[in-house]
Amino acid sequence: MKIEKDKISVKMFFGTSDQVRWSILVGVTIIFTIFLYPNLIIKKHSYKLGDVAASNIKATKDFLIEDKDATKANRREAVEKVLTVYDHDVTLPSTINQNVKTAFNDIQMVFKAEKNQNKIARKPSKTASTGTVKRAMSVHDLIWQKKVNFEEKIGISVSDGAYKILEEEAFLPDIANLIYSILKEILDNGVVTNKELLLKETDKGIILRNITTKNELVVHQLKQFYGLDQAKTMVKIIGQPLLQNIDYTLRNMIVDFVQRLIQPNITLNRSETEERKKKAYEEIKPVFHKIKAGEMLLREGERVTKIQLLKLKAYEEGIKQEQILSSSIGSALIILCILMTTYILYIHRQSETDLSNNKNLLFMASVLVTFFFIARISASLAESMAHYTSFPISASSSSYGIPLAAGAMTICLFLGLELAIPMAMLIAIGTAFIFKNRFDIFLYFLINSSMAAFWMQNCRERKVFIKAGLKLGVLNVILVTIINTYLGDSSIIKLLWDWAFAFMGGVGAGIVTAGITPMVEIAFGYTTDIKLLELANLDQPILRRLMIEAPGTYHHSVVVGTMVEAAASEIGANSLLAKVCGYYHDIGKIKKPLYFIENQTNGINRHDKLAPSMSSLILISHIKDGVEIARKNKLGQVIIDTIRQSHGTSLISFFYEKAKQLKGEDAVNIDNFRYPGPKPQTREAGLVMLADMVEAASRTLANPTPSKIQGLVQNLINKAFSDGQLDDCELTLKDLHKIAKSFHNILSGMYHHRIEYPEKPLLGNGKEKNGSSVRQQTKQIQDIPEKSKTKGQGHLKRLGLS
């Protein structure tokens, strides 16, 4: 129950909240101002290079013009002056030396351990000799086990032959020192990865940056640095004096080690170089030339040059920045005033308690924004067609083909003509703004949108869209003829194009309306007369199911639909909506049909074995079940609301009285025997509630004469009125009089007497000689006394009488 109340509260907030309304109005204003933005600035001169100037143009104020070519040249020069940055790793020789010495020292530790063991051996015997051989083999094995570790520390792979040579030389530290000496001399000179790329900077030089100290040095002699291949060649040359007294095999091994240990220690730093170029580019300020106030920018009759175009563009940009803010604010305030005036005069008059109030406002706002957007796009397309098509089509001709009348047609279809006319005016005003304040455009779209809405009234067939579109097309042709005559335009070719686009615009409006109608129904939960006609078909699946599973309820619903249709016509309500609501108001009884008296054919009443409270719950549940079925079958929100309101908050008096007899009056809570409501909110819902009560109760009349029917109708309507069930709907006393008279006529026609034929015997099984069934007490007898002879102040005298 709390969740349901929370849902209702949220629905009430979004349905009637002033904050939501203001948000919608401000939102439409902002969006329209954005659409209008291109026309808020001064009119641009659409000159091209080589065009002839139509008039003189002077500068009205001092302004600066940027010389983009000079600025671009200066920035390019600044970028070219930036020297390429190379990083110099001066610590690389010592790092490699440390790795080499560590690798050699690890192996040296094995030999030192061997020498210590030899000193411990004191007696040179045969046994000792054998032990020495075993220890020598152990040292050899241990050295080779450390080969992988040696390769990891030195940083290169070592072949078995080279490793064997090192073993024979006992991994002398002198070998590591020779490797370091050669390597250091080469790396101290500098080794670069790509020398060819480096030599391209010979003219400018490079910046050599120490990666440790961040000190920078500008170097112009770039040939001194070794390339990687050149550095490997220099190993033999530099190592020649150092290795001349060493065995050839060991010498080659040292050279190979140094060549493979060489790494470039001068590398290109691309990111730092690009960053410096970017900074240099940004530091160069644009080059400006000052134009003085009164200086002639363009002279009439002169051919437009590149410099003049540059000056004209800069002048217009400067003026635009000053005017755009004030123009935007001004246009937004104008649109907001128009929207507020329309809202106060037309829309605000709707009931404040109507939960769909803000939904309707949101729908109208969506239509406005959509068709403002169509107008904005169409204005641009019209200009493009005028300039780039091979046909002599003017921009004004194309504008006549915009199907903006579809906006007013859509509003009329869902909300009626009363709101469609002000919406047509708003669309016409907005479109006139978009088309640069053209009065002829305003009149054209105001008249055709208003008439299009008028022709969409009471639309109950799909062909009405096409008929309205054709009528609108003819009207548009007449309007453009009048406008051309007013403007003094006598061009036959232009008039023919105007007629063609105007007629297509009218037909297109009908087609657009027909296309968007189903989408609006789905998005906003509206129900049009076209959909109601579809639902009024008794072959609808839910009605066929009602006919099969609950035939008594089906017949009751059909009769209620007939009664409310006739009564709605009498009081000016929507007769089609009332009839459809009458058909579907009791569909919830499908779930438990045998618990309702009209579906009990064998004389067994299941309520006889139930407690009155349980019976009342079953009766009340058919409202909730009906809402669920209606939602599942997508019958529309208006029908769902009518199902909820069809019983209002009326009392189930039969079971209430029965409960009081069983438990006593003090032990029974009357609220447990009332329908949850709400009370009828619309005239159609009120009609359904009254017809439901009257039709059900009329079946209890033993001899339904016109006078008895008249008394029954008057009594039931009086009771509903006195109970306050009609307080929230807009039914007047005059309406109730007409409703009572209409119900009396319908029921009198249903229960009229037939001629008694002498030869026809009296039928059994509870049938009278006039052929009418003796009717059992139905569900609505629970809501009224069997007969009331007292008349209180709530009774309406002469209700339904001529």
Side-chain angles (χ1 to χ4, degrees):
M1 184 63 69
K2 185 178 183 300
I3 296 176
E4 192 69 25
K5 289 182 178 179
D6 292 340
K7 289 182 180 179
I8 294 175
S9 299
V10 172
K11 187 176 180 181
M12 284 287 292
F13 173 77
F14 285 103
T16 60
S17 172
D18 289 334
Q19 293 92 329
V20 175
R21 294 173 193 166
W22 276 104
S23 299
I24 294 174
L25 289 175
V26 173
V28 172
T29 302
I30 293 174
I31 293 173
F32 179 73
T33 305
I34 294 173
F35 290 160
L36 199 60
Y37 173 82
N39 291 329
L40 296 178
I41 59 177
I42 63 172
K43 182 179 179 181
K44 292 184 178 181
H45 300 278
S46 56
Y47 288 120
K48 298 179 181 178
L49 186 64
D51 289 347
V52 176
S55 60
N56 292 331
I57 301 177
K58 286 185 179 181
T60 59
K61 56 178 290 184
D62 293 348
F63 67 96
L64 298 176
I65 177 173
E66 181 185 354
D67 189 343
K68 292 187 176 180
D69 291 337
T71 303
K72 186 177 180 180
N74 291 344
R75 287 174 174 170
R76 183 172 57 249
E77 181 180 356
V79 170
E80 289 176 353
K81 288 182 178 180
V82 174
L83 300 181
T84 305
V85 179
Y86 278 81
D87 289 336
H88 186 198
D89 186 2
V90 295
T91 63
L92 183 62
S94 60
T95 302
I96 296 177
N97 180 49
Q98 183 65 31
N99 294 339
V100 172
K101 286 186 175 180
T102 301
F104 274 77
N105 288 339
D106 284 351
I107 306 300
Q108 279 291 320
M109 295 299 295
V110 176
F111 286 101
K112 289 180 180 180
E114 171 63 18
K115 289 180 180 180
N116 292 334
Q117 290 179 4
N118 289 336
K119 289 179 180 180
I120 294 173
R122 297 180 182 274
K123 295 180 179 181
S125 62
K126 185 176 180 181
T127 305
S129 177
T130 305
T132 302
V133 173
K134 289 181 180 180
R135 284 194 300 272
M137 290 177 63
S138 297
V139 170
H140 171 78
D141 293 341
L142 185 58
I143 290 173
W144 280 90
Q145 287 177 2
K146 287 181 174 289
K147 181 175 181 295
V148 175
N149 187 46
F150 179 82
E151 291 175 335
E152 290 177 355
K153 289 184 177 181
I154 200 171
I156 59 173
S157 61
V158 180
S159 64
D160 292 345
Y163 198 73
K164 185 176 181 181
I165 294 172
L166 290 173
E167 181 185 14
E168 292 173 354
E169 298 294 333
F171 286 87
L172 293 174
D174 292 342
I175 299 176
N177 292 333
L178 288 172
I179 292 174
Y180 171 67
S181 298
I182 301 171
L183 189 64
K184 184 176 185 304
E185 186 173 348
I186 292 175
L187 291 178
D188 286 346
N189 182 79
V191 179
V192 66
T193 305
N194 190 338
K195 190 172 182 179
E196 292 182 2
L197 182 63
L198 176 68
L199 293 178
K200 291 180 181 180
E201 307 291 340
T202 301
D203 296 335
K204 294 191 303 179
I206 64 170
I207 293 179
L208 199 62
R209 185 175 70 166
N210 190 316
I211 62 174
T212 303
T213 63
K214 302 300 180 181
N215 294 330
E216 296 182 355
L217 176 67
V218 178
V219 180
H220 294 280
Q221 300 297 327
L222 305 182
K223 292 183 179 181
Q224 62 177 320
F225 301 120
Y226 298 140
L228 191 58
D229 294 335
Q230 185 181 7
K232 292 180 180 180
T233 304
M234 292 300 297
V235 172
K236 293 182 179 180
I237 298 174
I238 295 174
Q240 179 66 32
L242 299 175
L243 304 175
Q244 59 183 351
N245 297 324
I246 299 177
D247 179 69
Y248 175 78
T249 304
L250 182 59
R251 183 193 312 159
N252 288 339
M253 186 208 69
I254 293 174
V255 168
D256 178 64
F257 268 44
V258 174
Q259 287 179 338
R260 288 193 290 145
L261 286 171
I262 289 176
Q263 301 176 27
N265 62 343
I266 299 177
T267 55
L268 173 63
N269 191 331
R270 293 184 183 275
S271 61
E272 180 65 21
T273 303
E274 292 299 324
E275 187 66 27
R276 296 189 181 193
K277 288 182 178 180
K278 182 179 178 181
K279 184 177 180 180
Y281 180 90
E282 293 174 348
E283 286 177 350
I284 301 299
K285 303 298 181 183
V287 178
F288 288 100
H289 300 295
K290 187 174 183 179
I291 305 297
K292 301 290 290 183
E295 183 176 342
M296 190 67 71
L297 302 180
L298 201 59
R299 296 184 182 276
E300 181 180 358
E302 289 184 350
R303 287 188 176 275
V304 180
T305 64
K306 183 177 180 181
I307 299 298
Q308 289 173 328
L309 277 179
L310 188 63
K311 292 180 179 180
L312 191 60
K313 182 178 179 181
Y315 174 67
E316 290 178 346
E317 289 291 333
I319 298 298
K320 178 181 71 174
Q321 295 299 327
E322 295 181 358
Q323 292 188 353
I324 188 62
L325 181 60
S326 60
S327 299
S328 299
I329 295 174
S331 62
L333 291 176
I334 291 173
I335 294 299
L336 184 60
C337 288
I338 296 173
L339 291 176
M340 289 180 61
T341 302
T342 305
Y343 172 76
I344 293 172
L345 293 179
Y346 297 97
I347 304 172
H348 188 62
R349 293 190 298 173
Q350 294 185 5
S351 174
E352 292 293 332
T353 59
D354 184 7
L355 291 181
S356 63
N357 194 8
N358 283 350
K359 182 184 77 171
N360 294 341
L361 191 62
L362 179 61
F363 166 59
M364 289 184 284
S366 301
V367 172
L368 280 177
V369 170
T370 300
F371 284 92
F372 284 157
F373 177 73
I374 292 175
R376 174 69 265 169
I377 297 300
S378 301
S380 302
L381 290 177
E383 293 290 339
S384 300
M385 288 181 63
H387 286 90
Y388 300 109
T389 57
S390 57
F391 300 100
I393 303 175
S394 65
S396 61
S397 298
S398 303
S399 63
Y400 294 139
I402 306 174
L404 296 183
M409 296 169 75
T410 305
I411 296 291
C412 180
L413 188 63
F414 292 101
L415 300 180
L417 184 64
E418 183 180 357
L419 290 178
I421 298 301
M423 288 300 105
M425 181 185 67
L426 287 176
I427 293 175
I429 293 173
T431 306
F433 273 122
I434 292 174
F435 279 88
K436 303 174 184 178
N437 306 322
R438 286 178 54 185
F439 183 67
D440 57 321
I441 288 292
F442 167 73
L443 288 179
Y444 174 78
F445 285 111
L446 175 63
I447 295 173
N448 75 357
S449 296
S450 300
M451 290 305 300
F454 176 78
W455 286 320
M456 283 301 296
Q457 292 183 98
N458 303 320
C459 176
R460 295 189 175 184
E461 295 178 330
R462 301 289 180 186
K463 62 182 180 182
V464 174
F465 294 107
I466 304 302
K467 287 183 178 180
L470 293 173
K471 292 178 184 178
L472 185 61
V474 175
L475 175 64
N476 288 350
V477 171
I478 297 173
L479 288 176
V480 297
T481 304
I482 295 173
I483 290 172
N484 282 348
T485 304
Y486 169 74
L487 297 176
D489 193 342
S490 58
S491 173
I492 300 299
I493 299 298
K494 181 180 181 303
L495 182 61
L496 292 176
W497 280 114
D498 289 351
W499 284 354
F501 279 102
F503 186 79
M504 287 189 297
V507 177
I511 295 173
V512 169
T513 306
I516 65 177
T517 295
M519 293 186 289
V520 174
E521 288 180 339
I522 295 172
F524 292 92
Y526 287 129
T527 304
T528 62
D529 286 349
I530 296 174
K531 184 175 181 180
L532 289 175
L533 281 173
E534 295 173 353
L535 294 175
N537 186 351
L538 296 179
D539 282 335
Q540 286 288 331
I542 187 64
L543 292 180
R544 291 182 62 84
R545 183 182 168 193
L546 185 67
M547 178 180 64
I548 295 171
E549 298 181 19
T553 302
Y554 171 81
H555 181 264
H556 162 73
S557 299
V558 172
V559 174
V560 169
T562 303
M563 292 173 65
V564 295
E565 181 182 22
S569 299
E570 290 293 331
I571 66 173
N574 190 332
S575 58
L576 178 59
L577 174 61
K579 179 175 72 172
V580 173
C581 290
Y583 284 171
Y584 291 92
H585 79 283
D586 268 347
I587 56 175
K589 293 181 179 180
I590 291 178
K591 290 195 174 182
K592 301 180 184 72
L594 296 182
Y595 284 91
F596 298 91
I597 195 69
E598 66 266 24
N599 300 314
Q600 297 173 1
T601 58
N602 54 5
I604 299 175
N605 191 337
R606 297 195 175 191
H607 290 285
D608 294 340
K609 298 181 180 181
L610 297 178
S613 58
M614 180 58 67
S615 296
S616 66
L617 288 175
I618 292 175
L619 293 183
I620 293 172
S621 67
H622 88 275
I623 300 295
K624 181 180 178 182
D625 294 338
V627 170
E628 292 177 355
I629 294 173
R631 281 178 176 164
K632 183 178 179 181
N633 289 271
K634 298 179 181 179
L635 299 184
Q637 189 61 41
V638 65
I639 296 178
I640 293 174
D641 291 340
T642 303
I643 292 174
R644 284 199 185 101
Q645 301 163 17
S646 60
H647 292 280
T649 58
S650 60
L651 179 65
I652 307 176
S653 56
F654 180 83
F655 290 115
Y656 175 63
E657 295 296 334
K658 185 177 179 181
K660 287 198 299 182
Q661 293 175 5
L662 294 176
K663 297 183 178 181
E665 184 172 355
D666 296 336
V668 179
N669 186 356
I670 191 172
D671 292 335
N672 294 334
F673 292 87
R674 284 191 179 274
Y675 285 99
K679 296 176 182 179
Q681 306 291 312
T682 63
R683 294 196 294 173
E684 290 78 14
L687 284 172
V688 171
M689 185 182 75
L690 294 176
D692 186 37
M693 295 169 56
V694 170
E695 196 283 333
S698 67
R699 294 172 179 266
T700 65
L701 295 176
N703 185 20
T705 61
S707 60
K708 288 185 177 181
I709 293 174
Q710 176 67 41
L712 177 68
V713 171
Q714 180 176 351
N715 186 36
L716 290 175
I717 295 180
N718 268 308
K719 187 178 186 306
F721 177 80
S722 302
D723 194 31
Q725 298 300 318
L726 304 178
D727 290 351
D728 294 340
C729 62
E730 299 176 353
L731 291 176
T732 64
L733 296 178
K734 183 178 179 180
D735 291 337
L736 294 179
H737 174 78
K738 292 180 179 179
I739 292 168
K741 187 176 180 180
S742 175
F743 286 177
H744 173 258
N745 292 335
I746 295 290
L747 293 176
S748 296
M750 289 176 54
Y751 298 121
H752 66 278
H753 290 279
R754 293 183 178 273
I755 298 175
E756 296 184 15
Y757 295 95
E759 69 275 14
K760 186 174 181 180
L762 180 65
L763 297 177
N765 296 328
K767 294 218 171 178
E768 297 177 350
K769 58 184 177 181
N770 63 355
S772 62
S773 299
V774 179
R775 294 163 177 79
Q776 301 179 46
Q777 185 181 29
T778 63
K779 59 163 188 167
Q780 289 298 338
I781 198 62
Q782 304 157 15
D783 299 337
I784 63 170
E786 184 177 304
K787 187 174 182 182
S788 177
K789 295 183 180 180
T790 61
K791 296 184 179 180
Q793 293 181 354
H795 284 267
L796 307 178
K797 295 181 179 181
R798 298 181 59 79
L799 186 62
L801 301 179
S802 300

